[in-house]
Amino acid sequence: MSQRRADGGRATIRDVAELAGVSVASVSRVLSGNYPVSEELRRRVMKVVQDLDYVTNAHARSLAGGGTPTVAILINNITGAAFAHVAKGVEGAATLRGWLSLVGTTGDDPERELALVTLMRQQGVAAVVLLGGAYDYDEYQVRMGRFARSLDAAGSHLVLVGRPPLEGAVPATTVDYDNEGGAYAMASHLLSAGHRRVLVLPGHAELTTAQGRLAGARRAFEAYGVPFDTGLVRHGAYDYEHGYEAVREALESGLSFTAVLAGTDVVAAGAMQALRAGGLRVPEDVSIVGYDDIPLASQLTPQLTTVHVPYEEMGRVALRAVADRREGHSGGGRRKGRDGEHLVLGTHVVVRGSVRPPTRTQGD
């Protein structure tokens, strides 16, 4: 069953009580959690609540009417610099409209993510914005589809930022960026400078973000007619430690490379430090590039050549998409296909001082 009854109305607490065969007061006690109830009663009531997809919070039933709209921003790791800028964009755009923002962290835990989405749905938020890459398994598609339909039934909306669009007719909005195109442009920049042996640190192999960046790099090598050496690919986390350890191990193993293409600016910072610890200069001995263009990129020495991703603008666009949907606007640049509403923002290379042509001694 769904939350909408046969007569088109939304399920009420009386519907729950009737189907569970108990009083409205008993349902209220179970849902509030403030009164002792038997385990058998709790199971019976919660079974009906789940079957009816019942939203307990009264705010969810007044979304179309009044109150201050609230948007929930769920992020894997709140300390991650890139998507902190997305959250800033969402919050700034919400503030301009007089909306409230809530921020929660999932820790890349599906169970935590489910609990937070469920809680936000019960709180009657206008939208749930999920930030960051995803492990695009079949189970992920199913889970996100359920989230989207559940939120839609409650008058809310799911927005995915920096994640792949969902398959099929799913009521969700995706705000993404040209991830693969950015990696293609950056790898092309290295190749045009004469580099052929490039150590690539794209991220975890199962992560959609890393898959796109690796695909872009490979496509650039193909376009330049240069063989792509998979032995120069090192997968790992988007953190300083991975950048440092991957380069350190490559140097210790005697691997030949003249440039490093890091999956993020933070990874590039770790890689840069490992090069220096190994007695190499950047860019005189080894060139290095990043991805994201967070403030750190211009604070490194030398300043980092990187791919600019419009993270803050993505946040603003995500909020505008929700506001337009609530207000019945067309949304302008959004396109709707089998994957639902999907908007892709552009990326571009920011050239700074971390790339030079390879020296003669750095050849293959």
Side-chain angles (χ1 to χ4, degrees):
M1 284 188 282
S2 68
Q3 187 188 355
R4 294 193 180 277
R5 305 173 305 191
D7 62 4
R10 207 179 286 277
T12 68
I13 193 170
R14 293 185 182 279
D15 296 325
V16 175
E18 181 179 348
L19 286 178
V22 299
S23 67
V24 169
S26 294
V27 174
S28 179
R29 291 189 184 100
V30 171
L31 297 178
S32 68
N34 295 328
Y35 300 90
V37 297
S38 69
E39 184 61 24
E40 190 277 332
L41 174 62
R42 189 191 69 79
R43 278 199 300 265
R44 191 193 320 172
V45 169
M46 293 310 297
K47 174 64 166 57
V48 175
V49 166
Q50 183 177 6
D51 288 344
L52 286 178
D53 200 17
Y54 173 66
V55 177
T56 62
N57 194 294
H59 292 163
R61 295 190 293 271
S62 64
L63 280 172
T68 301
T70 302
V71 58
I73 306 165
L74 304 185
I75 188 169
N76 288 344
N77 181 357
I78 202 169
T79 63
F83 285 100
H85 287 279
V86 180
K88 180 182 177 183
V90 174
E91 197 278 333
T95 298
L96 289 175
R97 287 172 169 78
W99 291 23
L100 298 176
S101 300
L102 300 174
V103 178
T105 57
T106 66
D108 205 21
D109 180 357
E111 293 302 318
R112 173 68 174 165
E113 189 174 68
L114 171 62
L116 285 173
V117 170
T118 301
L119 176 62
M120 293 302 104
R121 176 178 178 275
Q122 292 173 349
Q123 292 301 313
V125 298
V128 172
V129 181
L130 285 174
L131 308 184
Y135 296 96
D136 194 14
Y137 303 131
D138 290 341
E139 187 273 333
Y140 165 79
Q141 289 283 340
V142 172
R143 187 172 79 251
M144 290 298 110
R146 287 174 179 166
F147 286 174
R149 295 183 181 94
S150 176
L151 289 167
D152 186 66
S156 185
H157 191 60
L158 178 67
V159 183
L160 306 176
V161 179
R163 295 187 176 202
L166 300 178
E167 299 173 356
V170 180
T173 296
T174 301
V175 180
D176 207 353
Y177 58 97
D178 189 6
N179 181 35
E180 183 176 330
Y184 175 88
M186 181 54 76
S188 297
H189 180 71
L190 290 174
L191 288 162
S192 66
H195 294 281
R196 297 296 181 264
R197 300 281 297 173
V198 180
L199 183 66
V200 182
L201 313 178
H204 282 302
E206 302 85 1
L207 192 64
T208 55
T209 306
Q211 291 168 3
R213 293 179 188 181
L214 181 58
R218 294 184 70 119
R219 187 159 58 88
F221 273 75
E222 291 172 5
Y224 274 75
V226 177
F228 184 82
D229 187 352
T230 56
L232 287 170
V233 177
R234 296 290 184 275
H235 291 288
Y238 284 144
D239 57 27
Y240 180 95
E241 289 74 18
H242 170 59
Y244 186 93
E245 289 302 319
V247 170
R248 182 187 64 80
E249 291 173 4
L251 292 175
E252 289 184 353
S253 67
L255 194 64
S256 172
F257 59 96
T258 67
V260 178
L261 196 165
T264 70
D265 296 341
V266 175
V267 172
M272 190 178 291
Q273 184 59 33
L275 289 169
R276 286 179 176 146
L280 297 173
R281 299 167 299 166
V282 176
E284 291 84 356
D285 298 319
V286 177
S287 293
I288 187 166
V289 297
Y291 205 114
D292 287 337
D293 195 26
I294 60 175
L296 171 68
S298 59
Q299 296 164 0
L300 295 170
T301 303
Q303 292 184 329
L304 186 67
T305 292
T306 187
V307 176
H308 176 78
V309 180
Y311 286 118
E312 195 165 332
E313 178 62 17
M314 288 168 63
R316 289 192 289 265
V317 168
L319 196 283
R320 284 199 299 267
V322 175
D324 286 345
R325 191 174 186 275
R326 285 171 60 85
E327 296 164 6
H329 297 166
S330 64
R334 293 199 302 275
R335 60 179 174 84
K336 192 165 185 176
R338 69 179 185 86
D339 292 332
E341 294 178 313
H342 187 197
L343 181 64
V344 179
L345 279 64
T347 56
H348 63 268
V349 172
V350 179
V351 178
R352 296 193 176 101
S354 62
V355 176
R356 285 189 186 177
T359 63
R360 290 182 182 179
T361 57
Q362 291 175 300
D364 294 31

